[in-house]
Amino acid sequence: MKSIVIGAGDVGLNIARHLVMEDRDVVVIDSSLERLQLVNETLDVQTIHGKGAHPDVLERAGAGNADMLIAVTQSDEVNMVACQMAYSLFNVPKKIARVRHTSYLKLVKGHLFTPDNMPIDVIISPEAEVADSIIRNLDIPGAFDSNYFAEGEIALIGINIQENSPVINIALKLLTNSADTEFVAVAIYRGGRGITPRGSDHLEAGDEVFFVCRTSDIHDVMNLFGFESQKKVRRVFVIGGGFIGFEVCKRLVARGISTRVIESDKARALHLADMIDDITVIHGNAVDSDLYEQENVGQMDAVLAITNDDAVNILASVMAKQIGVEVVVTRINEANYMPLIDNLNLHKVVSPLEITASRILQHVRRGFVHSLHTIHEGKAQVIEAQVTRTSKIVGSHVMDIDLPEGVTIAAIYNAKKGMILPREMTIIREGDRVIFFSAVEQISEVDELF
């Protein structure tokens, strides 16, 4: 199966990396030879130099044989025209475009993006997706990662086991049997090594643990792991008023949260103040300790370091931690910074590249996939897929499903019964949604189940 990625920037490179990890035939198009050289040094893919919206360039890339085109350049217009060319001239089955400008996004549910007008099958808006992820981090202060499945009824939560956690050295089977609420541990990462949890396994301080539970039970399960209920976030200091900062501020204000934002670009700061009511905009240096003192940043419930500069975000996050802010969210684009993040104890990290990749990979999956979330720097995925009458697992007991090593059934969702914990004798029925955890190496085998 051939996938064409237009745009060799950070987003395009990361998407191409994920597709290569899944053994797909990938072609990357970009007008920058420098960017293509970086792609060639990083990935085993074909590269084409040229403008991705031009028919002759698409023809050279083999668009006539492609099953998918993903346009993620910085230009909304280039991305949209590329999808139009792919549809009109090459009949590419699936077209995905990155669209950022709100004037276009307002028309997503209207009449613009249709086969007769602008034939784009999936619109990706990274800024909106990242803003949603940041807000989720505020909803669950003790978690470093979270996402929701089954129309929001099932939650995936990632936590770090603290040294004083009451669950240390207790076998998972005993822990789950004695808990008042139901949950399933789906992955443990210890010292960078992934562990598929078994009932006899136990947790250690420093472990990264991902678990699934009912959304209504999140706080009870968090308490079980030693995260006592924390105060509700009411005052937030946002560092960076770019596209993502703008989206985050809109969501915070809509929730009635007192919001202050600092922006180093004066024109951008004035624009933010004009565009969003009920926020305080400060023009200044994002890492100015005197400014932090003047603005009483240490008294804030949360600080969001979400500028376009990873180094600034890291430094600002460290400064916020040092003055006593408990909830600090750090935006990081480059994977090279992750080891530094771990050493600095900055666990609430949001990666726009991984969030965008998750959204796109959801539409790459075989079968009827409702949602997908990548974890641990893209090394694994949590996939919510619907069982159809032709699925290999329909009618099977969980104990009879031959799952490859590194794959776990985390939960089952039934429209009538809600979340069902997978037991040996649980039967998978048509219409159920099965939530899988899978190491990326086994993704193709999970696809075969559907």
Side-chain angles (χ1 to χ4, degrees), residues 284-319:
N285 187 341
V287 290
D288 184 343
S289 57
D290 291 336
L291 186 146
Y292 281 29
E293 184 175 352
Q294 294 169 14
E295 297 296 329
N296 294 317
V297 175
Q299 303 302 313
M300 292 289 170
D301 297 324
V303 166
L304 315 178
I306 52 178
T307 75
N308 293 322
D309 189 320
D310 286 357
V312 168
N313 293 339
I314 292 172
L315 181 55
S317 297
V318 171
M319 292 171 60

Side-chain angles (χ1 to χ4, degrees), residues 18-20 54 67 85 96 100 200 208-209 245 263 282 307 343 369 380 406 427 446:
H18 278 281
L19 294 173
V20 168
H54 286 186
D67 65 298
M85 295 297 103
I96 299 175
R100 306 170 71 188
S200 57
E208 289 184 4
V209 180
E263 170 56 47
I282 304 154
T307 75
N343 293 335
V369 173
I427 298 175
V446 174

Side-chain angles (χ1 to χ4, degrees), residues 128-168:
E129 302 277 350
V130 174
D132 289 341
S133 177
I134 290 169
I135 296 299
R136 287 199 300 270
N137 271 277
L138 298 182
D139 288 338
I140 313 171
F144 67 82
D145 194 5
S146 63
N147 210 336
Y148 298 99
F149 301 88
E151 317 303 338
E153 292 196 25
I154 298 176
L156 169 74
I157 309 294
I159 59 173
N160 290 97
I161 300 299
Q162 307 298 308
E163 291 185 358
N164 60 349
S165 174
V167 302
I168 289 177

Side-chain angles (χ1 to χ4, degrees), residues 187-197 201-202 204 206-210 376 379 405 437:
I188 301 171
Y189 289 94
R190 181 176 299 157
R193 182 175 65 91
I195 301 171
T196 302
D201 289 326
H202 66 277
E204 299 178 3
D207 284 353
E208 289 184 4
V209 180
F210 289 87
H376 208 69
K379 295 184 177 68
E405 184 68 26
F437 166 86

Side-chain angles (χ1 to χ4, degrees), residues 188-248:
I188 301 171
Y189 289 94
R190 181 176 299 157
R193 182 175 65 91
I195 301 171
T196 302
R198 306 299 180 197
S200 57
D201 289 326
H202 66 277
L203 300 176
E204 299 178 3
D207 284 353
E208 289 184 4
V209 180
F210 289 87
F211 66 85
V212 164
C213 69
R214 293 181 180 86
T215 300
S216 57
D217 292 337
I218 288 175
H219 295 294
D220 289 337
V221 181
M222 292 293 286
N223 287 339
L224 176 70
F225 282 97
F227 295 92
E228 296 181 1
S229 297
Q230 295 177 287
K231 63 180 180 181
K232 188 175 181 179
V233 172
R234 301 184 185 279
R235 297 174 298 171
V236 176
F237 192 76
V238 180
I239 301 171
F243 282 109
I244 291 174
F246 175 73
E247 291 291 333
V248 168

